[in-house]
Amino acid sequence: MVIEVFMKTKSIWEPILYGAIAGIVPCLFQRIPILIFLYLFIPILWVDLGRREGFKKTIWPTVIAPIVMIATRNPVMIFTCTLYLALAGIGLSWMYEKEMGEKHRMIFAYAAIFFSIIGGMVIYQVVHHTAFIAVLAKGIEAYAKNITAAYQNTDIFTKSQIAQVQAAANTLTDQTKQALPSFFLILPFFAAWILVIACDKTVSRTRPAAQPLKPISHWMMTKPLRNFLLILLIVLLIAQFTVGAGNIYITTLNNLVDLGFSMMGLSFLYWVFNRRLPKESMGRKILICVVLLIIPSSAMFLSLIGIVDVYTNMRLIIVLRDSGRRR
């Protein structure tokens, strides 16, 4: 009898506690900015609760969280965080309960994060009557001007050196503005990747997920995506010679294509250096990332490796060569 009462009490207070945590954390964003990144992992609580008691139970903390967030008096933050909890929290809880596959979870997590960001931008524009992208661009320009002013105030550099700094700052500012659409398209991918891996680890404590997310070394492109990227790559090469590289649409597509091939290049490197081990070495993966950070133009290097990996049978050739040596 005592155990039953305890379990009922726990089932009531646990959603309230999770909702309070999800509501209190945004109140601390201004004082502790790193919590904005940590908020990415809040849906793990929803997934854990839904895995044990059903995804419908996650509706309660999703309702409680915005009530607590009223203390922030920031409608943009309240709407964005609540939308993220509703989409990523309740949605992923439902997907884990239904044993959805890894691809479905990744796609849904990406969509949840992407639409949360877009929804926050729309509410920002409605509340402040100013486009969020325009405010962000002005902030980038102001940051570049502050850097140039700091160089000018030192009285150490000559006028020609300051002019070079000014030109470099202007170029970097223009490149950053052009990369903003790519940033908002690519950021949700990495955030979704991290979130799904963390949810898989959490769920595995109670019951393994139907299809845990594969390690990056096992990632393979599907044939339709491979053909689509090849066509897009040819179009981008032609567009860069005709229109030029300064177009924001070409820059965005180019960054997305580079991301796809870079991820496949990283997948190939992870596979090559871990293929003979019974279990993949995290130390080798970290070492590969450190080396890539040191090498200049490592993104281009990874893209070239990815193109070779996607459009050739390089992995099969290496496997056949290894099997021949064993004989």
Side-chain angles (χ1 to χ4, degrees), residues 159-180:
K159 291 183 178 180
S160 61
Q161 290 175 330
I162 293 175
Q164 291 177 357
V165 172
Q166 179 70 52
N170 291 337
T171 302
L172 184 60
T173 301
D174 294 337
Q175 291 176 349
T176 305
K177 287 181 182 179
Q178 290 181 357
L180 283 178

Side-chain angles (χ1 to χ4, degrees), residues 57-182:
K57 202 76 172 182
T58 60
I59 297 175
W60 290 107
T62 309
V63 174
I64 294 169
I67 297 174
V68 178
M69 281 187 278
I70 292 176
T72 63
R73 298 180 182 178
N74 188 336
V76 178
M77 185 180 296
I78 294 172
F79 178 84
T80 305
C81 292
T82 305
L83 183 62
Y84 176 63
L85 295 175
L87 293 177
I90 299 177
L92 284 176
S93 299
W94 177 79
M95 298 199 79
Y96 276 99
E97 184 175 318
K98 299 299 181 181
E99 302 287 357
M100 294 289 183
E102 52 176 330
K103 292 182 180 178
H104 296 88
R105 297 199 301 271
M106 271 294 297
I107 293 172
F108 187 88
Y110 176 89
I113 296 170
F114 177 76
F115 284 115
S116 297
I117 294 173
I118 298 301
M121 291 182 183
V122 172
I123 294 298
Y124 183 92
Q125 185 166 341
V126 171
V127 173
H128 299 282
H129 305 287
T130 306
F132 179 82
I133 297 295
V135 174
L136 188 58
K138 289 180 180 178
I140 294 171
E141 292 176 356
Y143 181 74
K145 289 179 180 178
N146 291 335
I147 293 176
T148 306
Y151 276 95
Q152 292 175 344
N153 294 331
T154 55
D155 294 330
I156 297 175
F157 302 96
T158 62
K159 291 183 178 180
S160 61
Q161 290 175 330
I162 293 175
Q164 291 177 357
V165 172
Q166 179 70 52
N170 291 337
T171 302
L172 184 60
T173 301
D174 294 337
Q175 291 176 349
T176 305
K177 287 181 182 179
Q178 290 181 357
L180 283 178
S182 306

Side-chain angles (χ1 to χ4, degrees), residues 199-217:
C199 288
D200 283 350
K201 296 292 184 182
T202 303
V203 166
S204 64
R205 295 182 308 171
T206 54
R207 188 159 45 122
Q211 296 176 349
L213 192 63
K214 292 179 181 178
I216 186 173
S217 58

Side-chain angles (χ1 to χ4, degrees), residues 77 284 287 321:
M77 185 180 296
R284 292 190 180 188
L287 182 61
R321 187 191 63 181

